[in-house]
Amino acid sequence: MPDPVPAPVPAAASPAAAREVEAVFRAEHGRAVSVLIRFLGDIDAAEEAVQDAFTAAVQRWPLTGLPPSPAGWIITTARNRAVDRLRRESTRARRHAEAALLHAPDEPAEEGAVRDERLRLVFTCCHPALAAPAQIALTLRLLGGLSTPEIARAFLVPEATMAQRLVRAKKKIRDAGIPYRVPHEADLPARLRGVLAVLYLIYTEGHSATSGEHLVRADLCAEAVRLARSLAELMPGEPEVLGLLGLLLLSESRRPARTGRDGALVPLGEQDRSCWDRALIAEGQEAVRSCLRRGRPGPYQLQAAIAAVHADARTAQETDWGQVLALYDHLLSLAPSPVVALNRAVALAEVQGPAAALAVVEALDLPGHPPRHAVRADLLRRLGQLEQARLAYDEAIATAGNDAQRAFLTRRRSELET
């Protein structure tokens, strides 16, 4: 089915009304889909019903105003649309399904260890019968409402590849008869790795949107942090859960300073650190200290520790880059990947100079990855290789995901002409 995007808002609607509908879509799509999957037991049918409901909302709300409970309106309308569709089917199985829906309560009863509806969806989609990439991609689609291109960017794969992966995951669930069932508490640890990856990627998409006008999607950031808090309450004994929460809190603390008043991107070294959220920093650093006391380091804990080092520095110049590099060395040994190596190269440039970092970046296999082009362009600029830097900036601009990143890179390139 098509990507989950609201239908065009009627021309008579005000811009404010259009923004309200869009905000509800971003905030409630995941919950609505999770509820409808539980009602219907079918992912495609649930997505289609929720999409129908949002299409109706887009047509009605800008003219009549938002209902008292927008989320409840969407869920009820989606359920009614699903029942209407079933009524048009003539098979006995469909009539039985319709009867079950008609007699189902408006809100399914809470059950199992996972009390949060959306976190339940994450655990359910991370079924061991699915390959890890399929688990994560499917959950990003259903929970985050991310489009296929956005998910493809997160996985660094072509859009067509991701579309096929999503279709295969749904087909496997349908053909194997995998139920939409909350796992028992004893089964949660086996699914934890996929759940952590999902929450991390939801936050990553919110932190640096792969498309659109704005650098940040605050709705996705807030949802990822909320789910991470719920997960930490559910599984307080898992250090990687606490590590992820600490990482997200420390990253979120910098959000007020990441863009200027005009929405322009402000890099870490130029941010006004007085704008950082000190309460989130304190909470994130306490999570990191708690992880350290457990002595079981993992990738999310190490990333949180790196974020904590940045938070400790009162100015960019006071950053302990040696410690950051050492933490990246540890992270690269635990979870080697080209993206980790790229981030390590940024720290390497501060410790050993841009030439050492450029040699690492040149060897990375990250075709079409905008951050690689941007880092390479900056290193070339610092080395005085201006013509090559211009070409690298051109590549970064051509592949940049959103308008704010593109504008920042364009400004950086223009500085080479002066």
Side-chain angles (χ1 to χ4, degrees):
M1 69 172 293
D3 284 329
V5 178
V9 175
S14 69
R19 287 193 295 271
E20 286 180 334
V21 176
E22 177 70 11
V24 173
F25 176 82
R26 295 298 187 189
E28 301 298 342
H29 177 272
R31 179 182 175 220
V33 169
S34 66
V35 170
L36 264 293
I37 291 176
R38 296 190 75 202
F39 279 134
L40 299 169
D42 183 276
I43 290 174
D44 282 328
E47 280 195 285
E48 189 170 353
V50 171
Q51 186 72 7
D52 285 349
F54 272 107
T55 299
V58 164
Q59 298 299 319
R60 182 176 301 181
W61 292 357
L63 304 178
T64 64
L66 266 66
S69 174
W73 191 98
I74 288 294
I75 291 170
T76 300
T77 301
R79 180 185 165 194
N80 292 340
R81 293 295 177 100
V83 170
D84 290 341
R85 185 172 293 108
L86 287 171
R87 280 174 174 157
R88 294 194 293 268
E89 299 288 340
S90 60
T91 67
R92 176 177 297 180
R94 287 294 189 180
R95 287 198 295 272
H96 283 308
E98 174 193 339
L101 284 176
L102 288 172
H103 291 91
D106 288 339
E107 287 288 346
E110 296 287 346
E111 59 185 36
V114 187
R115 314 299 291 181
D116 185 281
E117 185 73 55
R118 279 168 278 197
L119 189 58
R120 177 187 291 118
L121 177 64
V122 180
F123 271 103
T124 303
C125 288
C126 290
H127 194 285
L130 298 176
Q135 294 174 1
I136 297 166
L138 183 60
T139 316
L140 289 174
R141 170 66 180 265
L142 298 178
L143 180 72
L146 271 63
S147 68
T148 303
E150 289 171 335
I151 301 172
R153 286 284 189 96
F155 278 83
L156 305 178
V157 300
E159 181 180 340
T161 301
M162 182 51 61
Q164 292 172 358
R165 187 174 294 173
L166 288 166
V167 169
R168 285 196 299 268
K170 293 178 184 179
K171 185 176 186 298
K172 184 165 187 177
I173 288 175
R174 183 174 59 250
D175 293 349
I178 296 172
Y180 179 77
R181 181 182 301 142
V182 184
H184 298 297
E185 188 168 3
D187 298 326
L188 299 184
R191 303 191 184 193
L192 182 59
R193 183 176 180 180
V195 171
L196 291 171
V198 165
L199 301 191
Y200 177 77
L201 288 175
I202 289 174
Y203 185 85
T204 299
E205 174 61 27
H207 187 72
S208 297
T210 55
S211 61
E213 297 180 8
H214 306 293
L215 175 68
V216 174
R217 283 186 55 183
D219 58 315
L220 289 182
C221 291
E223 179 66 357
V225 171
R226 188 190 71 79
L227 289 171
R229 290 188 189 277
S230 295
L231 185 61
E233 292 175 4
L234 177 67
M235 307 180 75
E238 293 286 347
E240 277 290 80
V241 172
L242 198 56
L244 177 67
L245 177 59
L247 171 61
L248 300 195
L249 292 171
L250 290 165
S251 300
E252 189 70 354
S253 73
R254 300 197 297 263
R255 183 156 60 87
R258 292 186 63 233
T259 55
R261 292 183 178 180
D262 58 353
L265 185 156
V266 181
L268 177 62
E270 299 174 17
Q271 289 175 14
D272 180 357
R273 300 190 176 207
S274 67
C275 295
W276 289 4
D277 188 321
R278 306 313 302 183
L280 288 180
I281 289 175
E283 187 180 359
Q285 289 179 325
E286 176 55 35
V288 172
R289 286 192 290 268
S290 179
C291 290
L292 291 175
R293 287 194 293 269
R294 302 184 189 200
R296 293 160 52 197
Y300 295 109
Q301 297 171 70
L302 290 170
Q303 291 180 75
I306 291 167
V309 174
H310 286 296
D312 282 336
R314 292 176 299 176
T315 66
Q317 291 71 30
E318 294 179 31
T319 303
D320 187 346
W321 286 106
Q323 187 178 3
V324 171
L325 182 60
L327 288 167
Y328 269 122
D329 287 339
H330 195 175
L331 178 59
L332 195 60
S333 68
L334 281 183
S337 78
V339 173
V340 172
L342 178 65
N343 292 332
R344 176 186 175 276
V346 174
L348 183 65
E350 299 298 328
V351 177
Q352 297 184 15
L358 182 61
V360 172
V361 172
E362 296 283 19
L364 293 178
D365 183 19
L366 283 169
H369 188 51
R372 177 187 179 274
H373 295 308
V375 170
R376 181 171 176 269
D378 183 66
L379 295 172
L380 289 166
R381 177 190 62 80
R382 291 167 64 178
L383 289 168
Q385 301 178 31
L386 301 188
E387 185 56 36
Q388 291 186 59
R390 292 187 189 97
L391 294 175
Y393 274 120
D394 288 340
E395 290 183 285
I397 292 166
T399 57
N402 62 63
D403 294 350
Q405 291 172 329
R406 195 172 299 110
F408 171 77
L409 294 167
T410 300
R411 288 196 304 274
R412 279 287 195 261
R413 190 196 187 289
S414 67
E415 292 170 0
L416 300 180
E417 306 296 338
T418 58

